Amino acid sequence: MTTAPERIADLYPTRGTTEVITPRQDPVVWSQPGTAGPFQPAELSDFERDGFFAIEELITADEVAVYRAELDRLTHDPEVKADPRSIVEAKSDKVRSVFEVHKISEVFAKLVSDPRVVGRARQILGSDVYVHQSRINVKPGFGASGFYWHSDFETWHAEDGLPNMRTVSVSIALTENYDTNGGLMIMPGSHKYFLGCSGETPVDNYKKSLQMQDAGTPSDEALTKLAGQYGIKLFTGRAGSATWFDCNAMHGSGDNITPYPRSNVFIVFNSVENTAVEPFAAPVRRPEYIGARDFTPVK
């Protein structure tokens, strides 16, 4: 006799008829105090309080040059451009993002397993980790569009089936982040509450949402309230700097109308104890190159 699989409770309802605010049900830092790793205890405390931590130099200038060269190679490779894992901007017909880059490129695969990178992810998540998503992003000057305010976890929960907030992202700058070229903005402390958005998820929503967010977008009223309560932090820094941020932090970025490009590599680590199930608020799963179903730990 076979039994039905155990249904996992939905702790964070979203994509219903109305917006719903739910207090966070999960820890922010999952490791025990004193766990060894690249983060100092005070830095983990700051991450727990704010939902992010910025590092002035995660990788060196020489390393930046290697990763920039690889980014340029990938984004100018016709085969990569034709790959469904690449997002091409409609106006310019140029590659804007390449997903699953740690599987496409040996250079970026080495970055994922670098102790300075994966070691910090293990410290925050308190377990071995796997890559839920990786990508390189290219934001050229003179008109590259931004990305509207959102919580990554809202999408990963609704459309990828991540049950708990046990996921962390790192954005590593490969060009300088000025205060004018469309940098990352986060609302400090917003990770403490989950904003469940209204509206159903269309089939194959990812095809549209990777270029312009629609489903899973907070209302202006909710964003105004969050910004009033938590404020907005804009990240600047040299190439090689990095920002670690919690999966539920409310964040976004503006258009880049300056001459100065902004490119980065973005890696999402998920705990091996928080593997994806079926989507909580979408009719189908997103492709595996966007929401991984390979839960092999990073070594």
Side-chain angles (χ1 to χ4, degrees):
M1 177 178 170
T2 59
T3 57
E6 182 180 354
R7 183 172 178 82
I8 295 178
D10 184 357
L11 299 178
Y12 301 104
T14 189
R15 310 282 174 99
T17 56
T18 59
E19 284 185 321
V20 180
I21 295 179
T22 305
R24 187 187 184 108
Q25 307 293 304
D26 296 305
V28 178
V29 175
W30 290 73
S31 62
Q32 296 299 314
T35 299
F39 276 125
Q40 297 300 310
E43 294 173 336
L44 283 177
S45 295
D46 288 349
F47 181 88
E48 185 169 28
R49 179 193 65 213
D50 297 330
F52 63 82
F53 189 83
I55 298 172
E56 290 185 6
E57 186 182 275
L58 181 67
I59 58 176
T60 66
D62 288 343
E63 291 171 310
V64 168
V66 172
Y67 295 122
R68 276 283 302 279
E70 181 69 352
L71 179 146
D72 289 341
R73 183 188 73 82
L74 291 171
T75 55
H76 289 87
D77 185 331
E79 290 187 9
V80 173
K81 182 179 180 181
D83 193 299
R85 291 173 288 187
S86 294
I87 305 301
V88 179
E89 190 157 71
K91 291 182 180 179
S92 66
D93 195 40
K94 292 183 178 180
V95 174
R96 170 75 181 272
S97 298
V98 180
F99 281 81
E100 215 170 44
V101 71
H102 70 294
K103 292 190 175 181
I104 293 175
S105 164
E106 291 184 5
V107 174
F108 284 110
K110 291 178 181 178
L111 178 62
V112 166
S113 60
D114 188 307
R116 294 168 296 179
V117 177
V118 70
R120 285 182 165 87
R122 292 188 188 116
Q123 256 184 304
I124 290 171
L125 302 180
S127 68
D128 280 336
V129 298
Y130 70 93
V131 177
H132 176 70
Q133 184 187 107
S134 73
R135 66 179 187 263
I136 48 173
N137 295 321
V138 180
K139 199 170 191 178
F142 298 121
S145 56
F147 212 77
Y148 202 67
W149 290 102
H150 64 287
S151 153
D152 285 330
F153 180 75
E154 194 278 338
T155 298
W156 299 339
H157 181 70
E159 300 185 39
D160 296 338
L162 295 191
N164 296 97
M165 294 180 183
R166 200 170 180 178
T167 315
V168 67
S169 302
V170 60
S171 175
I172 304 172
L174 300 181
T175 54
E176 183 151 0
N177 285 263
Y178 300 101
D179 58 2
T180 53
N181 65 341
L184 175 68
M185 297 181 287
I186 295 180
M187 298 184 186
S190 59
H191 62 304
K192 297 172 184 176
Y193 288 89
F194 175 74
L195 180 60
C197 299
S198 61
E200 293 185 359
T201 309
V203 176
D204 289 343
N205 177 59
Y206 75 94
K207 293 180 180 179
K208 180 179 179 182
S209 67
L210 294 179
Q211 294 178 322
M212 182 174 291
Q213 186 84 351
D214 188 10
T217 301
S219 68
D220 291 352
E221 292 77 13
L223 289 170
T224 300
K225 183 177 180 180
L226 287 171
Q229 183 172 357
Y230 297 114
I232 296 173
K233 164 72 175 176
L234 170 66
F235 292 90
T236 59
R238 298 176 301 174
S241 63
T243 304
W244 289 86
F245 58 102
D246 180 81
C247 59
N248 190 46
M250 189 63 66
H251 66 287
S253 63
D255 295 349
N256 182 12
I257 60 171
T258 75
Y260 312 117
R262 176 178 170 261
S263 298
N264 69 302
V265 54
F266 181 76
I267 307 164
V268 180
F269 293 100
N270 189 37
S271 169
V272 296
E273 299 173 11
N274 187 45
T275 54
V277 295
E278 290 306 307
F280 286 89
V284 295
R285 302 174 180 177
R286 298 195 298 175
E288 292 193 22
Y289 63 82
I290 301 174
R293 297 278 161 172
D294 177 356
F295 309 134
T296 305
V298 177
K299 298 298 185 185

